[in-house]
Amino acid sequence: MRRAATRWLGLALLAVGCATASDRPDSSPVPHWTSHAIPEARGDIRTEPDGRRVAVRYAGWTTRDFGGFRTYAYDGTLPVPPVQRAAMPSGVAGDPAKGRVLFLDRAKGPCTGCHLVPGEDVWPAGSVGPDLSTLADRKLPDAYLYQQLWDPRVIFPNTVMPPWGAQGTFRPEELVHLVAYLQTLRGPVVAEKDADRNPFTRSKPVGFGDNLDPTNNPAVVRAESAESLWSARGPAGKSCADCHAGGAQPTMRGVATRYPKHVAAYGRVMAIEDFLAVHGPETTGRPLPIEGAENIDLTMLIKMTSNGLPVAVDTTSPRARAAQARGKATFEKRVGERNHSCADCHTPDRGANKFLGGRLLADVTAGLTRHFPTWRTSQNDAWDMRRRFQWCMTPLGTNMLAADAIEYAELELYLTQFDNGKPMNVPGIRH
């Protein structure tokens, strides 16, 4: 017993060490930044008259405040969630039927986002985690499964599975029901009637046709219509065309290939969207808040002028290297209620090229940025990288930062380096 206890303690200490060790880059050179985003993109938290804290987000997004969990903010002080061992509670009878409902509950997980289990109602299942269809045949003890659900880091320090119990997503009695359900999953497995139900045999997405065809991609029409905005004088009596004569196409050709980049005038890394949000009002008097339609449309117009040219962001200057190091640290930082990082989904040795529910997770090393802004068919709107970041953060259970936060800009720079040498192709179109 003493040897077993020592082994568990050793594993727990190893898990804590892996979770807290960090070569956190110095963020002291990063200036304070006041957001120039639209209100729903600023990451604000509002206190209601009854004292409830409510997050201000885009229409249709949850308003839950995740203030108790880590974010990507450089000045964040919340520690890595401590690794927890837990004993299975006595006096609770596990109900497999309740466990299955919890396993499929979209408000809780759902567990099917990563794991396949039997049942035609399990749709769409993911493949980030192992197929659990015959888990009970392994004859694993209930206590072991309970610990895996409570906090798997005790046994697997680098796992991407969330610490469901330790973070409070599932109550102890709910985990007992889940264990009871998992212990019913025995073979043989019924043959699949639909290959696409199984994420391990599902067809990969084939795309949406020519993304630069205006009859196929509404974002192209929006971008082309921004030519009038380019020439329109703002409240200051000037337009973009007054300083960049001849139209966007000849004057902006090649500019977007170098963004995001450090802009000395503002002392920070900026993407095109960030730059427009401050440069537009300063020169023309026209507000161009980030995530506003005019900002997105002008960004697409400017980026389209560089279509076909290779991405060429700076990766060698001291400022670029420092910013990329911070961006990489953000990419690898685990945050939120689920204790997940970008790397957990988008690196080849973890979730990349696997299904998270019905979504095929992209591989960062293949390049993720050169098609943004992208028309999202499911949202009937054009999204830039920042709104995509914010959308990713919310299901992870972490409060999003302002769309023009420096943390996001440096994360985008880190991601864009993987597109260096690849041709720009904006706007993209995806589901």
Side-chain angles (χ1 to χ4, degrees):
M1 289 291 293
R2 184 165 184 168
R3 176 179 290 181
T6 301
R7 177 176 176 274
W8 277 105
L9 179 60
L11 285 168
L13 290 174
L14 175 63
V16 172
C18 288
T20 58
S22 173
D23 297 324
R24 181 178 298 173
D26 180 18
S27 61
S28 58
V30 175
H32 172 75
W33 190 256
T34 300
S35 178
H36 297 78
I38 60 175
E40 53 266 49
R42 290 199 296 255
D44 293 341
I45 303 295
R46 182 179 68 242
T47 302
E48 299 288 90
D50 61 2
R52 288 184 305 114
R53 287 169 56 85
V54 175
V56 180
R57 299 193 180 104
Y58 302 93
W61 293 26
T62 180
T63 59
R64 180 183 167 191
D65 173 27
F66 298 110
F69 304 103
R70 298 210 309 164
T71 73
Y72 286 127
Y74 288 155
D75 60 358
T77 58
L78 290 175
V80 175
V83 178
Q84 293 183 13
R85 259 198 99 184
M88 194 168 179
S90 59
V92 180
D95 184 332
K98 290 182 179 179
R100 190 175 193 278
V101 170
L102 289 166
F103 197 92
L104 272 63
D105 188 348
R106 290 185 177 274
K108 290 285 190 179
C111 304
T112 53
C114 291
H115 301 285
L116 177 65
V117 292
E120 293 185 1
D121 57 336
V122 180
W123 184 277
S127 57
V128 175
D131 183 347
L132 301 182
S133 298
T134 60
L135 177 67
D137 289 341
R138 297 178 59 189
K139 303 186 185 306
L140 298 170
D142 287 356
Y144 176 89
L145 292 177
Y146 185 87
Q147 179 63 63
Q148 285 294 92
L149 295 170
W150 184 269
D151 191 343
R153 295 173 298 169
V154 167
I155 303 169
F156 301 106
N158 296 315
T159 181
V160 300
M161 183 168 168
W164 295 116
Q167 293 285 76
T169 308
F170 287 95
R171 300 189 305 274
E173 62 270 25
E174 291 178 322
L175 295 182
V176 173
H177 297 321
L178 280 167
V179 169
Y181 167 62
L182 293 174
Q183 294 289 33
T184 69
L185 300 178
R186 298 183 178 88
V189 178
V190 177
E192 291 285 358
K193 297 178 182 178
D194 184 350
D196 278 348
R197 195 195 78 86
N198 186 331
F200 299 97
T201 59
R202 183 179 299 150
S203 302
K204 300 291 177 66
V206 295
F208 294 87
D210 182 3
N211 61 291
L212 298 183
D213 180 351
T215 65
N216 182 53
N217 187 352
V220 175
V221 178
R222 278 185 48 173
E224 291 175 344
S225 68
E227 283 280 9
S228 60
L229 183 61
W230 179 269
S231 302
R233 286 186 166 83
K238 295 186 67 176
S239 70
C240 302
D242 287 335
C243 293
H244 307 283
Q249 179 61 42
T251 57
M252 292 290 106
R253 180 75 170 163
V255 169
T257 64
R258 301 188 294 274
Y259 279 82
K261 70 174 186 178
H262 186 274
V263 181
Y266 302 104
R268 58 161 291 184
V269 170
M270 289 181 147
I272 295 288
E273 295 93 327
D274 302 316
F275 185 77
L276 288 175
V278 291
H279 182 68
E282 288 172 352
T283 55
T284 70
R286 183 188 301 279
L288 292 173
I290 192 167
E291 301 310 325
E294 290 185 338
N295 183 300
I296 295 294
D297 292 352
L298 275 174
T299 296
M300 289 192 293
L301 174 66
I302 292 168
K303 286 192 169 186
M304 284 179 69
T305 67
S306 295
N307 276 347
L309 297 180
V311 176
V313 294
D314 178 15
T315 60
T316 59
S317 71
R319 284 195 178 98
R321 290 200 305 270
Q324 286 177 327
R326 290 189 291 267
K328 183 176 188 290
T330 296
F331 183 76
E332 296 174 347
K333 180 181 179 181
R334 289 186 168 170
V335 298
E337 183 179 26
R338 301 195 181 196
N339 197 42
H340 271 167
S341 69
C342 304
D344 287 337
C345 285
H346 298 293
T347 52
D349 59 335
R350 301 187 204 176
N353 302 312
K354 298 176 183 178
F355 282 98
L356 179 64
R359 298 188 301 276
L360 185 67
L361 295 172
D363 180 354
V364 64
T365 62
L368 305 177
T369 67
R370 65 187 183 278
H371 307 298
F372 278 87
T374 288
W375 185 262
R376 297 202 66 197
T377 60
S378 61
Q379 307 298 318
N380 197 36
D381 200 2
W383 282 20
D384 63 0
M385 283 294 298
R386 306 304 175 75
R387 189 164 179 180
R388 190 65 176 79
F389 289 162
Q390 293 176 319
W391 184 87
C392 274
M393 299 308 104
T394 307
L396 296 186
T398 184
N399 284 340
M400 67 189 196
L401 307 183
D404 52 347
I406 295 173
E407 292 90 338
Y408 284 164
E410 296 187 337
L411 172 60
E412 186 174 344
L413 175 62
Y414 170 71
L415 297 177
T416 305
Q417 69 167 324
F418 294 104
D419 277 314
N420 265 356
K422 300 180 178 72
M424 292 192 66
N425 189 3
V426 177
I429 180 169
R430 294 177 186 169
H431 182 66

